[in-house]
Amino acid sequence: MSQRITTALLEDTEEEDALRLICQSVLEVAEADTVLIVLPSLGEKYICEIADGEAARDVIGLEFPPEGRAQSVIRSNVGMIVPSMERAHSLRVPQLSRFGPALYAPMSAHGVATGVIIVFRNPGRDEFTQPALQAAEDLAAQATLALRLAAIRHAEDRASLLEERQRIARDLHDLAIQQLFATSLQLGTIKDDLIAGVATPEKITESIDQALAAVGDSVSQIRQIVSGLKESDSPAFNLVDGLWHETSLARRSLGFAPSLVLALNNEVFSKDNSERLDSELVEILDENEIADALAVVREGLTNVARHAHATEVLVEVQIWAESGLVPPGCGHIEPTVPLKSETNGLMWVEITDDGTGLEKTVGRHSGLANMAARASVHFGYMNIENRPDSTRGTKLTWCIPLSV
Protein backbone atom coordinates (compact mmCIF):
# COMPACT_ATOMS: atom_id res chain seq x y z
CA MET A 1 0.00 0.00 0.00
CA SER A 2 2.75 2.44 0.97
CA GLN A 3 4.68 1.54 -2.21
CA ARG A 4 1.58 2.24 -4.29
CA ILE A 5 1.22 5.70 -2.76
CA THR A 6 4.92 6.48 -3.17
CA THR A 7 4.76 5.45 -6.84
CA ALA A 8 1.75 7.69 -7.39
CA LEU A 9 3.55 10.66 -5.82
CA LEU A 10 6.65 10.11 -7.98
CA GLU A 11 4.48 9.93 -11.10
CA ASP A 12 3.35 13.54 -10.61
CA THR A 13 -0.17 12.52 -9.62
CA GLU A 14 -2.47 15.48 -9.06
CA GLU A 15 -2.79 16.64 -5.45
CA GLU A 16 -6.47 15.71 -5.09
CA ASP A 17 -5.96 12.28 -6.67
CA ALA A 18 -3.04 11.57 -4.32
CA LEU A 19 -5.07 12.57 -1.27
CA ARG A 20 -8.00 10.41 -2.41
CA LEU A 21 -5.65 7.46 -2.78
CA ILE A 22 -4.32 8.05 0.74
CA CYS A 23 -7.86 8.35 2.07
CA GLN A 24 -8.78 5.01 0.48
CA SER A 25 -5.61 3.45 1.89
CA VAL A 26 -6.37 4.62 5.44
CA LEU A 27 -9.92 3.27 5.08
CA GLU A 28 -8.50 -0.14 4.17
CA VAL A 29 -5.56 -0.30 6.59
CA ALA A 30 -7.55 0.94 9.60
CA GLU A 31 -10.58 -1.23 8.75
CA ALA A 32 -12.66 1.92 9.04
CA ASP A 33 -16.08 2.92 7.74
CA THR A 34 -15.42 6.60 6.95
CA VAL A 35 -12.21 8.60 6.54
CA LEU A 36 -11.86 12.32 5.99
CA ILE A 37 -8.99 14.75 5.51
CA VAL A 38 -9.26 18.20 7.10
CA LEU A 39 -7.13 20.96 5.56
CA PRO A 40 -6.72 24.73 6.02
CA SER A 41 -9.07 26.81 3.89
CA LEU A 42 -9.91 30.49 3.41
CA GLY A 43 -10.23 32.75 6.43
CA GLU A 44 -8.10 30.48 8.66
CA LYS A 45 -10.86 27.88 8.63
CA TYR A 46 -10.31 24.12 8.59
CA ILE A 47 -12.61 22.24 6.22
CA CYS A 48 -13.11 18.59 5.29
CA GLU A 49 -11.74 18.59 1.73
CA ILE A 50 -11.45 14.86 0.98
CA ALA A 51 -13.51 11.96 2.31
CA ASP A 52 -14.13 8.28 1.56
CA GLY A 53 -16.41 5.58 2.96
CA GLU A 54 -20.06 5.26 3.90
CA ALA A 55 -20.67 8.84 5.08
CA ALA A 56 -18.27 10.59 2.69
CA ARG A 57 -20.95 12.74 1.04
CA ASP A 58 -22.28 13.93 4.39
CA VAL A 59 -18.96 15.11 5.82
CA ILE A 60 -17.48 16.88 2.77
CA GLY A 61 -17.41 20.62 3.48
CA LEU A 62 -17.79 20.33 7.26
CA GLU A 63 -16.00 23.08 9.19
CA PHE A 64 -13.92 22.12 12.23
CA PRO A 65 -13.79 24.93 14.84
CA PRO A 66 -10.66 26.07 16.72
CA GLU A 67 -11.85 24.61 20.03
CA GLY A 68 -12.57 21.15 18.57
CA ARG A 69 -10.48 17.98 18.60
CA ALA A 70 -9.28 18.33 15.00
CA GLN A 71 -7.60 21.71 15.47
CA SER A 72 -6.33 20.63 18.89
CA VAL A 73 -4.49 17.73 17.20
CA ILE A 74 -3.13 20.09 14.54
CA ARG A 75 -1.81 22.53 17.16
CA SER A 76 -0.25 19.84 19.38
CA ASN A 77 0.89 17.63 16.50
CA VAL A 78 -0.11 14.62 18.63
CA GLY A 79 -2.56 11.96 17.51
CA MET A 80 -5.69 11.08 19.46
CA ILE A 81 -7.98 8.05 19.92
CA VAL A 82 -11.64 8.60 20.87
CA PRO A 83 -13.60 5.57 22.18
CA SER A 84 -16.95 6.76 20.78
CA MET A 85 -18.08 9.95 19.07
CA GLU A 86 -21.76 9.30 19.85
CA ARG A 87 -20.97 9.30 23.60
CA ALA A 88 -18.35 12.06 23.49
CA HIS A 89 -18.82 15.17 25.64
CA SER A 90 -18.67 18.69 24.19
CA LEU A 91 -18.84 17.59 20.56
CA ARG A 92 -18.14 20.73 18.51
CA VAL A 93 -19.29 19.25 15.18
CA PRO A 94 -22.74 17.71 15.82
CA GLN A 95 -22.72 15.82 12.51
CA LEU A 96 -19.97 13.56 13.90
CA SER A 97 -22.25 12.14 16.63
CA ARG A 98 -23.39 9.43 14.18
CA PHE A 99 -19.98 7.71 14.46
CA GLY A 100 -18.57 5.34 17.04
CA PRO A 101 -14.79 4.92 17.61
CA ALA A 102 -12.50 7.52 16.04
CA LEU A 103 -8.85 8.42 15.71
CA TYR A 104 -7.13 11.65 14.69
CA ALA A 105 -3.75 11.50 12.90
CA PRO A 106 -1.90 14.82 12.33
CA MET A 107 -0.49 15.52 8.89
CA SER A 108 2.95 16.57 10.06
CA ALA A 109 6.11 17.84 8.38
CA HIS A 110 9.22 18.95 10.30
CA GLY A 111 7.31 18.86 13.57
CA VAL A 112 4.48 21.09 12.32
CA ALA A 113 1.01 19.75 11.48
CA THR A 114 -0.87 21.37 8.61
CA GLY A 115 -3.95 19.14 8.58
CA VAL A 116 -5.47 16.04 10.11
CA ILE A 117 -6.84 12.70 8.95
CA ILE A 118 -9.88 11.57 10.95
CA VAL A 119 -10.88 7.90 10.86
CA PHE A 120 -14.27 6.66 12.01
CA ARG A 121 -15.92 3.30 12.68
CA ASN A 122 -19.65 2.85 13.06
CA PRO A 123 -21.20 2.53 16.54
CA GLY A 124 -20.76 -0.87 18.13
CA ARG A 125 -17.44 -1.67 16.48
CA ASP A 126 -14.11 -2.11 18.30
CA GLU A 127 -12.12 0.90 19.41
CA PHE A 128 -8.95 1.85 17.53
CA THR A 129 -5.61 0.71 18.91
CA GLN A 130 -2.22 2.43 19.10
CA PRO A 131 -0.87 0.38 16.16
CA ALA A 132 -3.85 1.59 14.09
CA LEU A 133 -3.06 5.18 15.09
CA GLN A 134 0.60 4.67 14.13
CA ALA A 135 -0.39 3.27 10.73
CA ALA A 136 -2.73 6.23 10.16
CA GLU A 137 0.02 8.68 11.15
CA ASP A 138 2.40 7.07 8.65
CA LEU A 139 -0.15 7.52 5.88
CA ALA A 140 -0.83 11.06 7.11
CA ALA A 141 2.87 11.81 6.62
CA GLN A 142 2.54 10.69 3.01
CA ALA A 143 -0.50 12.95 2.64
CA THR A 144 1.66 15.82 3.87
CA LEU A 145 4.29 14.90 1.27
CA ALA A 146 1.60 14.97 -1.43
CA LEU A 147 0.65 18.51 -0.42
CA ARG A 148 4.29 19.62 -0.36
CA LEU A 149 4.93 18.16 -3.81
CA ALA A 150 1.81 19.88 -5.12
CA ALA A 151 3.04 23.18 -3.68
CA ILE A 152 6.44 22.70 -5.31
CA ARG A 153 4.86 21.90 -8.67
CA HIS A 154 2.64 24.94 -8.37
CA ALA A 155 5.67 27.11 -7.63
CA GLU A 156 7.54 25.61 -10.61
CA ASP A 157 4.55 26.18 -12.90
CA ARG A 158 4.30 29.77 -11.72
CA ALA A 159 8.03 30.31 -12.22
CA SER A 160 7.77 28.87 -15.74
CA LEU A 161 4.82 31.15 -16.47
CA LEU A 162 6.69 34.21 -15.24
CA GLU A 163 9.77 33.22 -17.24
CA GLU A 164 7.63 32.78 -20.36
CA ARG A 165 6.04 36.19 -19.81
CA GLN A 166 9.48 37.77 -19.47
CA ARG A 167 10.61 36.05 -22.66
CA ILE A 168 7.56 37.34 -24.54
CA ALA A 169 8.15 40.84 -23.18
CA ARG A 170 11.81 40.70 -24.29
CA ASP A 171 10.84 39.42 -27.74
CA LEU A 172 8.21 42.12 -28.21
CA HIS A 173 10.62 44.80 -27.00
CA ASP A 174 13.71 43.63 -28.85
CA LEU A 175 11.98 42.64 -32.09
CA ALA A 176 8.67 44.32 -32.96
CA ILE A 177 8.90 47.40 -30.75
CA GLN A 178 12.46 48.24 -31.76
CA GLN A 179 11.58 47.87 -35.42
CA LEU A 180 8.58 50.19 -34.99
CA PHE A 181 10.83 52.65 -33.17
CA ALA A 182 13.27 52.60 -36.06
CA THR A 183 10.35 53.29 -38.40
CA SER A 184 9.30 56.25 -36.26
CA LEU A 185 12.82 57.67 -36.56
CA GLN A 186 12.63 57.32 -40.30
CA LEU A 187 9.24 59.06 -40.46
CA GLY A 188 10.64 61.81 -38.24
CA THR A 189 13.43 62.33 -40.76
CA ILE A 190 10.88 62.62 -43.56
CA LYS A 191 9.00 65.24 -41.54
CA ASP A 192 12.17 67.25 -40.91
CA ASP A 193 13.07 67.14 -44.60
CA LEU A 194 9.58 68.34 -45.53
CA ILE A 195 9.80 71.25 -43.08
CA ALA A 196 13.24 72.15 -44.38
CA GLY A 197 11.96 71.95 -47.96
CA VAL A 198 14.73 69.58 -49.03
CA ALA A 199 12.57 66.52 -49.66
CA THR A 200 11.85 65.54 -53.25
CA PRO A 201 8.76 63.54 -54.19
CA GLU A 202 10.96 60.62 -55.17
CA LYS A 203 12.76 60.63 -51.81
CA ILE A 204 9.49 60.89 -49.91
CA THR A 205 8.00 58.01 -51.87
CA GLU A 206 11.06 55.84 -51.29
CA SER A 207 11.12 56.62 -47.54
CA ILE A 208 7.41 55.91 -47.13
CA ASP A 209 7.78 52.62 -48.99
CA GLN A 210 10.60 51.66 -46.64
CA ALA A 211 8.50 52.65 -43.59
CA LEU A 212 5.54 50.59 -44.82
CA ALA A 213 7.84 47.62 -45.36
CA ALA A 214 9.19 48.02 -41.83
CA VAL A 215 5.67 48.13 -40.39
CA GLY A 216 4.90 44.97 -42.34
CA ASP A 217 7.99 43.33 -40.87
CA SER A 218 6.87 44.33 -37.36
CA VAL A 219 3.43 42.82 -37.94
CA SER A 220 5.14 39.64 -39.14
CA GLN A 221 7.35 39.54 -36.03
CA ILE A 222 4.30 39.92 -33.75
CA ARG A 223 2.51 37.16 -35.63
CA GLN A 224 5.53 34.89 -35.19
CA ILE A 225 5.59 35.57 -31.46
CA VAL A 226 1.87 34.86 -31.16
CA SER A 227 2.25 31.75 -33.30
CA GLY A 228 5.06 30.57 -31.05
CA LEU A 229 2.65 30.72 -28.12
CA LYS A 230 0.15 28.50 -29.92
CA GLU A 231 2.55 25.99 -31.41
CA SER A 232 5.12 23.99 -29.49
CA ASP A 233 7.17 23.33 -32.62
CA SER A 234 8.05 26.75 -33.97
CA PRO A 235 10.18 27.09 -37.11
CA ALA A 236 13.93 27.17 -36.65
CA PHE A 237 15.75 30.49 -36.77
CA ASN A 238 18.40 31.11 -39.39
CA LEU A 239 21.32 33.05 -37.89
CA VAL A 240 22.99 34.11 -41.13
CA ASP A 241 19.85 35.35 -42.89
CA GLY A 242 18.69 36.90 -39.63
CA LEU A 243 21.88 38.92 -39.21
CA TRP A 244 21.77 40.21 -42.79
CA HIS A 245 18.14 41.11 -42.23
CA GLU A 246 18.86 43.00 -39.00
CA THR A 247 21.73 45.00 -40.47
CA SER A 248 19.60 45.81 -43.50
CA LEU A 249 16.78 47.06 -41.29
CA ALA A 250 19.23 49.16 -39.25
CA ARG A 251 20.18 51.07 -42.38
CA ARG A 252 16.83 52.87 -42.23
CA SER A 253 17.33 54.20 -38.71
CA LEU A 254 21.10 54.77 -38.89
CA GLY A 255 21.11 56.46 -42.27
CA PHE A 256 23.90 54.16 -43.46
CA ALA A 257 24.58 50.44 -43.66
CA PRO A 258 26.43 48.89 -40.71
CA SER A 259 29.28 46.53 -41.51
CA LEU A 260 28.85 42.85 -40.68
CA VAL A 261 31.59 40.29 -40.07
CA LEU A 262 30.69 36.62 -39.65
CA ALA A 263 33.26 34.04 -38.62
CA LEU A 264 33.20 30.37 -37.65
CA ASN A 265 36.27 28.79 -36.08
CA ASN A 266 38.33 31.83 -37.14
CA GLU A 267 37.23 31.55 -40.79
CA VAL A 268 35.51 34.71 -42.06
CA PHE A 269 32.48 34.24 -44.32
CA SER A 270 31.02 36.69 -46.80
CA LYS A 271 27.44 36.87 -48.02
CA ASP A 272 28.42 34.90 -51.11
CA ASN A 273 29.53 31.81 -49.18
CA SER A 274 27.17 32.18 -46.22
CA GLU A 275 25.10 29.18 -47.34
CA ARG A 276 27.90 26.81 -46.26
CA LEU A 277 28.22 28.69 -42.98
CA ASP A 278 24.51 28.34 -42.30
CA SER A 279 24.58 24.59 -42.94
CA GLU A 280 27.40 24.19 -40.43
CA LEU A 281 25.71 26.37 -37.80
CA VAL A 282 22.66 24.10 -37.84
CA GLU A 283 24.77 21.48 -36.06
CA ILE A 284 26.29 23.96 -33.60
CA LEU A 285 23.63 26.43 -32.42
CA ASP A 286 20.19 25.78 -30.99
CA GLU A 287 17.12 27.91 -31.69
CA ASN A 288 17.25 29.83 -28.42
CA GLU A 289 20.90 30.82 -28.90
CA ILE A 290 20.15 32.09 -32.41
CA ALA A 291 17.00 33.96 -31.38
CA ASP A 292 18.75 35.71 -28.50
CA ALA A 293 21.77 36.66 -30.61
CA LEU A 294 19.52 38.24 -33.26
CA ALA A 295 17.57 40.13 -30.61
CA VAL A 296 20.79 41.47 -29.09
CA VAL A 297 22.05 42.68 -32.48
CA ARG A 298 18.75 44.45 -33.12
CA GLU A 299 18.70 46.08 -29.69
CA GLY A 300 22.34 47.12 -29.99
CA LEU A 301 21.87 48.70 -33.41
CA THR A 302 18.72 50.48 -32.24
CA ASN A 303 20.63 51.96 -29.28
CA VAL A 304 23.31 53.26 -31.64
CA ALA A 305 20.71 54.81 -33.95
CA ARG A 306 18.88 56.45 -31.08
CA HIS A 307 21.74 57.78 -28.96
CA ALA A 308 25.19 57.56 -30.51
CA HIS A 309 25.02 59.90 -33.56
CA ALA A 310 27.51 57.57 -35.18
CA THR A 311 28.75 57.49 -38.75
CA GLU A 312 30.17 53.95 -38.66
CA VAL A 313 29.00 50.74 -36.96
CA LEU A 314 30.62 47.32 -37.06
CA VAL A 315 28.80 44.13 -36.04
CA GLU A 316 31.05 41.12 -35.46
CA VAL A 317 29.65 37.68 -34.76
CA GLN A 318 32.24 35.01 -34.12
CA ILE A 319 31.54 31.41 -33.22
CA TRP A 320 33.98 28.79 -32.02
CA ALA A 321 32.55 25.28 -32.04
CA GLU A 322 35.24 23.87 -29.70
CA SER A 323 36.74 25.31 -26.54
CA GLY A 324 40.27 24.74 -27.87
CA LEU A 325 39.61 27.09 -30.79
CA VAL A 326 38.66 30.09 -28.66
CA PRO A 327 41.55 32.58 -28.85
CA PRO A 328 42.97 34.19 -25.72
CA GLY A 329 41.37 37.51 -24.83
CA CYS A 330 37.76 36.51 -25.47
CA GLY A 331 37.17 35.98 -21.78
CA HIS A 332 38.96 39.05 -20.46
CA ILE A 333 35.75 40.74 -19.29
CA GLU A 334 34.54 39.46 -15.94
CA PRO A 335 31.16 37.78 -16.57
CA THR A 336 28.20 38.59 -14.35
CA VAL A 337 27.40 34.86 -14.34
CA PRO A 338 30.33 32.39 -14.42
CA LEU A 339 30.69 30.65 -17.75
CA LYS A 340 30.11 26.92 -17.69
CA SER A 341 33.41 25.12 -17.35
CA GLU A 342 32.20 22.30 -19.58
CA THR A 343 31.40 24.62 -22.48
CA ASN A 344 32.26 23.31 -25.93
CA GLY A 345 32.77 26.73 -27.45
CA LEU A 346 31.55 30.32 -27.52
CA MET A 347 29.38 32.71 -29.48
CA TRP A 348 30.84 36.21 -29.39
CA VAL A 349 28.81 39.23 -30.53
CA GLU A 350 30.49 42.65 -30.62
CA ILE A 351 28.97 45.94 -31.81
CA THR A 352 31.25 48.98 -32.05
CA ASP A 353 30.47 52.52 -33.21
CA ASP A 354 32.23 55.89 -33.55
CA GLY A 355 29.52 57.87 -31.77
CA THR A 356 29.41 60.10 -28.71
CA GLY A 357 30.28 57.38 -26.19
CA LEU A 358 28.67 56.40 -22.90
CA GLU A 359 29.27 59.69 -21.07
CA LYS A 360 26.97 61.59 -23.41
CA THR A 361 24.50 58.78 -23.98
CA VAL A 362 21.16 58.66 -22.23
CA GLY A 363 20.92 55.08 -21.02
CA ARG A 364 18.04 52.80 -21.98
CA HIS A 365 17.96 50.55 -18.96
CA SER A 366 15.24 48.20 -20.23
CA GLY A 367 17.15 47.41 -23.43
CA LEU A 368 20.45 46.79 -21.64
CA ALA A 369 18.68 44.71 -19.00
CA ASN A 370 17.07 42.60 -21.73
CA MET A 371 20.43 41.93 -23.37
CA ALA A 372 21.97 41.02 -20.03
CA ALA A 373 19.05 38.72 -19.27
CA ARG A 374 19.43 36.98 -22.63
CA ALA A 375 23.09 36.37 -21.78
CA SER A 376 22.51 35.12 -18.25
CA VAL A 377 19.95 32.57 -19.43
CA HIS A 378 22.84 30.88 -21.29
CA PHE A 379 25.33 31.44 -18.43
CA GLY A 380 27.03 34.14 -20.46
CA TYR A 381 27.58 37.87 -19.97
CA MET A 382 27.04 41.27 -21.53
CA ASN A 383 29.24 44.36 -21.24
CA ILE A 384 29.11 47.88 -22.67
CA GLU A 385 31.93 50.40 -22.43
CA ASN A 386 33.61 53.28 -24.22
CA ARG A 387 35.88 52.04 -26.98
CA PRO A 388 39.38 51.55 -25.54
CA ASP A 389 40.95 51.99 -28.99
CA SER A 390 39.38 55.37 -29.79
CA THR A 391 38.42 58.69 -28.24
CA ARG A 392 34.89 58.24 -29.55
CA GLY A 393 32.32 55.49 -29.64
CA THR A 394 31.17 52.51 -27.60
CA LYS A 395 31.72 48.78 -27.67
CA LEU A 396 29.03 46.29 -26.69
CA THR A 397 30.10 42.71 -26.03
CA TRP A 398 27.69 39.79 -25.63
CA CYS A 399 29.14 36.34 -25.11
CA ILE A 400 27.58 32.97 -24.32
CA PRO A 401 28.96 29.42 -24.06
CA LEU A 402 27.56 26.97 -26.58
CA SER A 403 25.35 24.16 -25.39
CA VAL A 404 26.39 21.59 -27.99
Side-chain angles (χ1 to χ4, degrees):
M1 186 66 68
S2 177
Q3 181 63 38
R4 179 185 171 195
I5 295 172
T6 301
T7 301
L9 295 177
L10 293 176
E11 290 178 348
D12 290 344
T13 304
E14 292 294 329
E15 172 190 355
E16 184 172 337
D17 292 337
L19 292 177
R20 289 190 184 281
L21 176 60
I22 290 169
C23 214
Q24 294 168 5
S25 301
V26 174
L27 191 73
E28 179 180 340
V29 170
E31 299 179 353
D33 296 301
T34 303
V35 176
L36 53 90
I37 297 179
V38 177
L39 298 171
S41 185
L42 298 176
E44 299 183 354
K45 296 180 179 180
Y46 279 82
I47 305 293
C48 174
E49 301 281 0
I50 305 290
D52 199 4
E54 295 179 7
R57 290 186 178 181
D58 299 329
V59 296
I60 287 288
L62 284 182
E63 180 181 348
F64 290 76
E67 61 273 16
R69 290 180 177 84
Q71 289 209 43
S72 174
V73 168
I74 291 172
R75 287 192 296 270
S76 65
N77 196 27
V78 177
M80 176 188 300
I81 294 176
V82 180
S84 176
M85 298 299 291
E86 63 178 352
R87 298 194 303 270
H89 299 290
S90 66
L91 194 62
R92 304 295 183 181
V93 184
Q95 294 89 335
L96 302 183
S97 63
R98 65 185 291 176
F99 299 112
L103 68 78
Y104 292 71
M107 296 169 56
S108 176
H110 304 295
V112 178
T114 55
V116 61
I117 294 180
I118 309 177
V119 187
F120 297 110
R121 285 175 178 164
N122 291 333
R125 294 192 61 192
D126 294 337
E127 296 180 15
F128 288 102
T129 62
Q130 283 296 328
L133 176 59
Q134 182 61 53
E137 288 179 337
D138 291 341
L139 290 171
Q142 290 189 307
T144 306
L145 176 60
L147 293 176
R148 292 184 63 193
L149 289 175
I152 292 171
R153 289 168 191 150
H154 177 73
E156 289 176 343
D157 290 343
R158 181 170 177 80
S160 297
L161 177 62
L162 291 175
E163 183 179 349
E164 180 67 7
R165 285 179 176 175
Q166 291 174 348
R167 184 192 65 78
I168 294 169
R170 287 197 302 267
D171 285 346
L172 286 172
H173 178 274
D174 295 345
L175 301 175
I177 293 176
Q178 291 302 331
Q179 187 157 298
L180 288 172
F181 174 75
T183 304
S184 72
L185 291 178
Q186 185 180 12
L187 292 174
T189 301
I190 296 174
K191 178 182 176 181
D192 293 341
D193 289 347
L194 285 171
I195 294 174
V198 297
T200 64
E202 294 79 10
K203 184 177 180 181
I204 293 174
T205 300
E206 180 184 357
S207 296
I208 291 177
D209 287 341
Q210 291 176 350
L212 290 173
V215 171
D217 288 339
S218 297
V219 171
S220 176
Q221 292 283 359
I222 294 172
R223 284 176 176 168
Q224 288 181 14
I225 293 171
V226 173
S227 177
L229 299 177
K230 297 178 179 179
E231 302 175 8
S232 58
D233 297 325
S234 56
F237 289 90
N238 182 309
L239 179 66
V240 177
D241 290 344
L243 288 171
W244 289 115
H245 178 68
E246 296 303 333
T247 52
S248 177
L249 288 177
R251 181 184 193 131
R252 301 169 186 169
S253 55
L254 289 169
F256 59 89
S259 301
L260 174 63
V261 174
L262 282 170
L264 172 63
N265 296 332
N266 300 319
E267 179 184 356
V268 177
F269 288 77
S270 66
K271 195 169 185 178
D272 295 333
N273 64 353
S274 61
E275 184 175 342
R276 178 170 66 87
L277 170 62
D278 190 60
S279 64
E280 293 187 35
L281 292 181
V282 169
E283 305 297 327
I284 299 172
L285 304 177
D286 66 31
E287 183 175 314
N288 292 328
E289 292 167 340
I290 294 173
D292 284 337
L294 293 177
V296 166
V297 169
R298 172 169 292 187
E299 175 69 27
L301 290 175
T302 300
N303 281 349
V304 173
R306 186 172 184 178
H307 304 297
H309 306 290
T311 60
E312 293 182 359
V313 181
L314 172 63
V315 178
E316 293 184 79
V317 179
Q318 302 198 50
I319 299 159
W320 296 278
E322 300 176 14
S323 58
L325 297 173
V326 180
C330 285
H332 67 283
I333 300 173
E334 186 67 25
T336 56
V337 178
L339 295 179
K340 290 181 179 179
S341 59
E342 69 272 17
T343 179
N344 295 301
L346 292 175
M347 180 192 295
W348 182 272
V349 178
E350 192 169 271
I351 302 175
T352 55
D353 65 73
D354 64 348
T356 55
L358 290 180
E359 289 80 0
K360 298 181 181 180
T361 298
V362 179
R364 298 185 68 251
H365 299 293
S366 61
L368 295 177
N370 282 347
M371 288 189 281
R374 291 181 184 275
S376 63
V377 165
H378 302 282
F379 298 93
Y381 64 92
M382 188 275 292
N383 182 74
I384 185 167
E385 60 183 348
N386 287 318
R387 285 177 60 178
D389 60 340
S390 174
T391 58
R392 289 176 53 84
T394 59
K395 180 175 73 171
L396 182 145
T397 304
W398 188 84
C399 179
I400 61 172
L402 301 184
S403 58
V404 293

